Amino acid sequence: KAAHQKGTAHEFTPEEARQAGSKGGQAAHEKGTAHEFDSEEAREAGRKGGQASHEKGTAHEFDSEEAREAGRKGGQASHSGGSGQGGTNQGGSNVKR
């Protein structure tokens, strides 16, 4: 039997898991086998991460000045042929008043 089937496998702490994942990602990039997100995959991953952080209550809440600055940058990017993110906010307002 394998260690995990016998119940003797090492359980990673969240920090150990993060470090192991980081090392794996670095190795994959060095080998050239890392996954490269296209813009649609990146958008979907960001949406899922934002949704999860809202559900957990850990999402960043912008104050009025931060929201104004983010909107300004997004507008500049969308009008200059940049990332096209455009400062859209899916899922409701995150602005503290």
Side-chain angles (χ1 to χ4, degrees), residues 18-31:
R18 189 194 65 74
Q19 288 176 347
S22 177
K23 286 181 183 177
Q26 287 174 351
H29 279 283
E30 288 170 10
K31 282 177 56 178

Side-chain angles (χ1 to χ4, degrees), residues 41-85:
E41 286 177 310
R43 184 176 299 114
E44 179 64 10
R47 186 189 68 76
K48 287 172 128 180
Q51 196 171 32
S53 64
H54 280 281
E55 289 170 7
K56 287 173 47 178
T58 58
H60 177 74
E61 292 193 23
F62 289 91
D63 63 29
S64 296
E65 185 56 38
E66 288 175 314
R68 190 173 8 265
E69 181 65 11
R72 186 185 66 75
K73 286 182 178 179
Q76 286 177 341
S78 67
H79 292 292
S80 67
S83 69
Q85 298 295 315

Side-chain angles (χ1 to χ4, degrees), residues 1-10:
K1 282 187 174 183
H4 70 278
Q5 291 173 321
K6 292 190 250 178
T8 59
H10 174 74

